Amino acid sequence: MYSHPKSDYVSVTLRDQHCRIYSNGKQRRQSCWRKWRQLSRLQRSLITLLSAVLLLCGMVLYPWLMEHWKDHSTEDELDEDDIRGLHPVPQGIKVDHKQTLELKPEEHVPEIQRPEVPILPKPSEMQNKPFPHQRRPPLLQKQDDVSDPQKREKNEGVQEEGERGEKEFISWRGTVIEADQATEAPPSARGKDEPAVSSLDQVEAVREAFRHAWSGYKQFAWGHDELKPLSKSYGDWFGLGLTIIDALDTMWILGLKEEFEEARRWVENDLSFSKNVDVNLFETTIRILGGLLSTYHLTGDDLFLQRAKDLGTRLMPAFNTPSKIPFSDVNIGKGTAHPPRWTTDSTVAEVTSIQLEFRELSRLTGDPRYQKAVDEVMSQVHRLGGKRDGLVPMFINTNSGKFSHRGVFTLGARADSYYEYLLKQWLQGGKKDTHGVPFRLLEDYLQAVEGIKRNLLRQTLPSQLTFVGELSHGRLNPKMDHLVCFLPGTLALGTHNGLPADHMDLALRLIETCHQMYVQMETGLSPEIAHFNLQPRTSRDVEVKPADRHNLLRPETVESLFYLYRFTHNPKYRDWGWNILQNFNKYTRVPSGGYTSISNVCDPVNPGPRDKMESFFLGETLKYLFLLFNDDPQLISLEEFVFNTEAHPLPIWPSAL
Ligand code: DMJ
C-alpha cells in the first residue's frame, strides 16, 4: 500500500493585498543542502565540474546565439494577419485602418471626429464603478483642512497633544522619516460641507516639497548629479550637476528666485563640459540640453544658450556611425562615441527622442548641423521595415541602420518617447513637417495610435480597466510600465490640437488605469510595472511582481494629470495629483532633506528607501504637480510651448504661431 511520504518541511504561503504570493523556501533550501551533503565527494566533484563546463559553454555560445537569432529576424517574420487573428481588438474599441494611411499631413489636419459609438464607457461611469480593492493609505483618511486657519490650528493642537509619540515618526529599517507631512484629505474625499483644500495651498505644498528636496541636495550633493538623501551623500553619473540643470526651469516656474540665482551662479562659474567623461546621448540631451534651452527661453539669459551650444556641439560625434543612427554614448571631452560594450545597437526611444532639442538648437544658433543629424534619424526610422501597424521595435543597429530584436512592441521602456516625439515635433514645427524632409510625423503618429488600439489594448477583469500591454512575437503580455502613463497626456494633447476625439476617449480610460496603479497599492504609490488580470476567476485587476515594486519618484502619471486637468478642468485630476504628492511626502520624504526612491510600494511599514533622489523628481514630477494645481493656464501655455520628454518647455516655433 502506498503511504504518503512524510513531509520534512512546511511551506507557508503569504499573500499581501495586491502584491504577489510568497512561499517560504528556507526549509526547501535546507533539504537540498542535506541531500548534497549525502553525496560522495566524487559525485560532488563531478557535478561541480559538469556545472562549470556547462556555464563556460553557455558564456561562449551566448553571443553567437544572439547574433544568429538576430540574423533570422527578417522583416516578414510576423504573419500579421495570423497574429491579429489570435489577438482580437477588445470589444468596443473602434479601429480605423484606413484613416491614418491616407492622411497627407501638410494638406490637412483632421478635424475632431466624434465616434458614432463611444469606444469606451463614459468617464462618469468609470467614476462610479466600484473598485473592490481600492484603498486609501491610512492617514489620508484624516479630514484636516489647511484652507481654514482656525481649523488648522485646532488640528495641529490635536496632533501635538494626542498623536505625538504614536504617529509622529515612521521607521524604516533604522531610518526615521518625518510623520506624514501633508495629511489633508483631497476635496473629493471630504464631506459636502467641508471646504476643499484651495489650489493656492496645493501650489504652496509643491513649493515646500521642492524646497525640502533642494535643501537636501544643497547640503549633501551640491554640484553632483544626484542626492543620496539617507546616506547624506551623492552619486555621479556624468558628473555634470544633473540635478541643478534639470531643476533650473522648475525653480523659475515655481518662483523660487533665490534658489534659481544660486543655481545660475553655479552654471556660470562651475559648470564645464570640457571633461573626459562618457555621457549617454539621450539622457544628456533631454535633461541637460533641454534644461538649458528651456531656461534660456524662460529667462532670456544668454548664458544658458551658450552652455547649450557648447554641449550640443560636443554631443555631435555620437552621429558619426556607419548608418548615421547615433551611438548611445559619447565622450564630451575627447569627441569620441561608442555603443554600449555588449552590443552595437542603440535604443529606438533614445535615438528618436532627441529631436526637439537639436532642432531648437539649430533654430536658435542658425547652424543647421544639429537639426540635419536628427532629421536623418527620423527619415531612416520612417522608412524602416519591421514595424507593426506603426509600432516600432525597441532596438536599432548603428551599423546596418535596421531594427534589431524585432517582434517585440511596447509603449514602455525603450520605445515610449518615440511616439511622444512624433506628435511633439509636429507641434513644435507648427503642425507641419519641415519642408523637404522625407518623413511624415503626423502620419506616423496617427498610424501608431491605431497600432496601439489594434495590437496592444486590453481590458482587465473584473473592473475593465483599459491598459496597454506588450506584444512579444505575437503573444500579448498583460503588463504595463509606469512609463506608459505618459500616454494619456500625449493623446489628450493630440486631440487638443485637432486630432481625432477618440484619442481623448482612450486618454480618459488610460489615466483611470494609471490612477488605479497608485490607489490599489498600500502606500498609494505606483509600482514600476503592473501586471493586469485577464482571467474571469480572479478578483484582482492589478498584480505586482516582487521585482517590480519599486517607485523611483517618476513623473508620468502626474504629467498626464496635468494635461487632462488643463483640457477638462475636471477637479478629480487635481485630487488624484494631491493624493500622490501626499504619499510622496509620507513614504519618500527624508527629514534631513530630499526624497528617496523606495523598493516596495506594497509595504507601508517598510517601503524600503533606496537612498536616491532622481533628478527628474525636481525636473518633472514637482513641476507637473505645480502646473496641475496652478490656476493660470497662461503659465507655460500649451499654445506656446511643447514640453520635451523631461518636462522642459520649448517654444512652438514663432513662424508657426
Ligand atoms: C525621464 O528621464 C523622462 O521622462 C524619460 O522620457 C523617461 N524616464 C524618465 C522619467 O521617468
Side-chain angles (χ1 to χ4, degrees):
M1 199 172 87
Y2 175 78
S3 75
H4 194 73
K6 207 175 161 192
S7 179
D8 64 351
Y9 62 85
V10 180
S11 174
V12 179
T13 301
L14 302 169
R15 184 194 276 275
D16 56 9
Q17 275 252 11
H18 306 284
C19 302
R20 288 199 91 198
I21 296 169
Y22 301 95
S23 319
N24 80 338
K26 201 173 157 204
Q27 300 293 342
R28 218 181 286 265
R29 276 199 301 277
Q30 279 175 3
S31 160
C32 288
W33 177 242
R34 202 173 302 142
K35 282 182 187 142
W36 171 255
R37 294 292 302 272
Q38 281 162 0
L39 296 175
S40 73
R41 188 171 294 177
L42 180 67
Q43 283 171 316
R44 288 204 302 246
S45 308
L46 266 174
I47 292 173
T48 313
L49 190 72
L50 254 173
S51 312
V53 169
L54 276 174
L55 189 72
L56 256 171
C57 287
M59 281 163 68
V60 171
L61 282 175
Y62 178 74
W64 180 84
L65 279 172
M66 290 311 289
E67 278 307 312
H68 187 74
W69 184 72
K70 254 194 267 179
D71 292 347
H72 283 79
S73 167
T74 57
E75 277 177 30
D76 51 3
E77 68 184 346
L78 295 170
D79 183 336
E80 310 230 335
D81 289 333
D82 281 358
I83 293 164
R84 203 167 296 143
L86 284 172
H87 296 278
V89 178
Q91 246 191 358
I93 301 294
K94 184 183 162 196
V95 177
D96 185 348
H97 300 264
K98 281 185 200 136
Q99 177 196 18
T100 57
L101 300 174
E102 288 166 4
L103 257 177
K104 292 197 183 127
E106 299 100 321
E107 286 163 27
H108 75 276
V109 175
E111 305 216 326
I112 293 186
Q113 299 159 9
R114 293 255 156 226
E116 283 153 27
V117 183
I119 60 168
L120 309 155
K122 294 253 162 56
S124 56
E125 289 168 34
M126 290 296 302
Q127 246 178 320
N128 297 334
K129 189 174 273 187
F131 286 99
H133 305 294
Q134 181 170 348
R135 61 182 297 280
R136 286 186 188 282
L139 289 177
L140 286 181
Q141 287 155 12
K142 281 169 60 181
Q143 304 278 305
D144 293 350
D145 175 21
V146 287
S147 62
D148 177 339
Q150 270 185 346
K151 245 188 180 179
R152 193 186 321 165
E153 253 172 42
K154 201 174 135 210
N155 285 342
E156 280 165 4
V158 169
Q159 174 122 8
E160 261 183 37
E161 285 165 31
E163 292 187 323
R164 190 154 279 175
E166 273 171 52
K167 279 191 178 168
E168 194 170 21
F169 298 110
I170 297 167
S171 177
W172 299 334
R173 281 196 204 128
T175 302
V176 177
I177 61 160
E178 287 165 352
D180 61 314
Q181 297 296 312
T183 52
E184 300 308 313
S188 62
R190 291 159 185 272
K192 269 192 188 147
D193 302 332
E194 288 181 87
V197 178
S198 76
S199 62
L200 281 179
D201 288 336
Q202 293 177 320
V203 155
E204 206 36 61
V206 182
R207 279 205 192 94
E208 193 281 327
F210 185 96
R211 284 203 192 93
H212 184 78
W214 189 247
S215 96
Y217 176 76
K218 242 181 87 176
Q219 291 177 72
F220 309 121
W222 185 250
H224 294 280
D225 284 342
E226 285 149 346
L227 168 68
K228 293 171 122 190
L230 298 181
S231 54
K232 300 186 180 167
S233 61
Y234 54 82
D236 273 318
W237 189 8
F238 311 137
L240 296 174
L242 205 56
T243 295
I244 299 182
I245 306 177
D246 223 358
L248 277 168
D249 56 7
T250 306
M251 290 183 266
W252 186 264
I253 291 167
L254 268 59
L256 301 174
K257 289 200 180 129
E258 245 175 62
E259 290 85 348
F260 177 83
E261 283 308 326
E262 204 171 13
R264 187 204 176 277
R265 277 197 295 280
W266 183 86
V267 172
E268 185 170 31
N269 302 324
D270 301 303
L271 174 63
S272 168
F273 294 126
S274 174
K275 264 188 155 178
N276 178 8
V277 61
D278 280 350
V279 302
N280 175 282
L281 170 69
F282 163 74
E283 298 290 356
T284 309
T285 300
I286 64 168
R287 300 188 198 210
I288 304 186
L289 186 56
L292 291 169
L293 288 172
S294 72
T295 308
Y296 167 69
H297 280 293
L298 296 176
T299 62
D301 185 339
D302 199 52
L303 167 71
F304 299 107
L305 178 57
Q306 291 318 316
R307 290 285 188 277
K309 190 176 168 192
D310 181 21
L311 177 62
T313 309
R314 290 170 184 276
L315 292 173
M316 288 301 282
F319 296 90
N320 294 335
T321 67
S323 65
K324 306 273 179 258
I325 299 296
F327 285 135
S328 59
D329 297 279
V330 53
N331 187 304
I332 52 173
K334 289 190 191 161
T336 54
H338 59 88
R341 217 170 295 154
W342 57 91
T343 177
T344 50
D345 289 346
S346 284
T347 296
V348 170
E350 292 196 359
V351 302
T352 56
S353 311
I354 49 180
Q355 279 65 13
L356 290 177
E357 299 82 355
F358 276 81
R359 282 158 45 116
E360 178 60 8
L361 191 58
S362 274
R363 193 182 70 87
L364 288 173
T365 60
D367 182 343
R369 283 178 309 153
Y370 310 108
Q371 171 153 9
K372 209 168 155 244
V374 293
D375 277 355
E376 172 63 24
V377 178
M378 289 314 293
S379 80
Q380 288 198 40
V381 171
H382 173 72
R383 289 195 308 262
L384 278 184
K387 290 183 199 160
R388 183 181 174 87
D389 300 328
L391 303 177
V392 290
M394 301 192 292
F395 296 98
I396 186 163
N397 190 271
T398 50
N399 288 327
S400 68
K402 294 194 170 151
F403 290 129
S404 54
H405 304 285
R406 287 189 281 190
V408 181
F409 302 97
T410 173
L411 260 281
R414 301 188 183 280
D416 49 359
S417 43
Y418 162 73
Y419 304 100
E420 178 188 351
Y421 268 37
L422 286 175
L423 178 74
K424 289 184 172 177
Q425 285 181 78
W426 178 70
L427 295 177
Q428 179 189 41
K431 302 186 195 176
K432 57 180 187 284
D433 289 318
T434 314
H435 180 70
V437 294
F439 53 85
R440 298 278 178 270
L441 296 165
L442 178 61
E443 183 180 311
D444 286 354
Y445 176 74
L446 289 172
Q447 198 186 10
V449 176
E450 291 307 311
I452 294 168
K453 289 195 276 181
R454 191 178 303 164
N455 297 284
L456 305 181
L457 285 192
R458 291 290 184 280
Q459 291 191 326
T460 64
L461 289 172
S463 306
Q464 292 182 305
L465 299 172
T466 300
F467 68 94
V468 182
E470 296 187 356
L471 193 66
S472 178
H473 304 284
R475 293 182 77 87
L476 190 103
N477 188 354
K479 78 184 253 273
M480 186 168 113
D481 295 354
H482 182 271
L483 287 169
V484 181
C485 291
F486 82 92
L487 188 59
T490 298
L491 289 168
L493 181 65
T495 300
H496 178 72
N497 282 282
L499 303 191
D502 65 346
H503 291 199
M504 184 64 171
D505 295 334
L506 180 56
L508 296 174
R509 292 285 299 227
L510 290 174
I511 194 63
E512 179 65 48
T513 307
C514 293
H515 170 57
Q516 290 301 322
M517 283 166 66
Y518 282 74
V519 297
Q520 294 200 17
M521 298 305 122
E522 285 74 359
T523 55
L525 292 173
S526 169
E528 177 73 358
I529 301 171
H531 282 74
F532 295 100
N533 175 51
L534 300 172
Q535 304 308 319
R537 279 184 302 278
T538 314
S539 59
R540 301 184 194 289
D541 291 274
V542 186
E543 189 182 291
V544 188
K545 302 207 166 168
D548 305 332
R549 291 174 179 174
H550 47 293
N551 180 296
L552 306 183
L553 313 170
R554 285 196 191 277
E556 290 76 18
T557 296
V558 294
E559 168 184 353
S560 285
L561 291 175
F562 154 69
Y563 284 107
L564 286 166
Y565 184 79
R566 276 265 171 117
F567 301 140
T568 66
H569 299 288
N570 187 332
K572 77 175 178 184
Y573 298 126
R574 277 190 173 169
D575 294 352
W576 295 356
W578 183 234
N579 278 344
I580 292 172
L581 175 62
Q582 289 178 102
N583 290 322
F584 278 139
N585 274 331
K586 191 166 161 198
Y587 295 107
T588 73
R589 182 172 165 124
V590 180
S592 46
Y595 289 75
T596 177
S597 46
I598 55 173
S599 293
N600 192 353
V601 295
C602 305
D603 188 346
V605 177
N606 183 5
R610 288 188 152 193
D611 198 16
K612 184 166 176 176
M613 182 174 79
E614 300 273 357
S615 75
F616 52 68
F617 183 62
L618 300 178
E620 297 193 72
T621 311
L622 292 179
K623 185 188 289 154
Y624 281 128
L625 280 167
F626 184 85
L627 292 171
L628 166 67
F629 301 138
N630 193 289
D631 281 331
D632 181 6
Q634 293 312 309
L635 182 63
I636 317 295
S637 156
L638 292 173
E639 315 310 319
E640 291 168 31
F641 288 97
V642 61
F643 285 92
N644 86 340
T645 192
E646 187 76 5
H648 298 304
L650 298 174
I652 291 173
W653 291 347
S655 60
L657 292 173

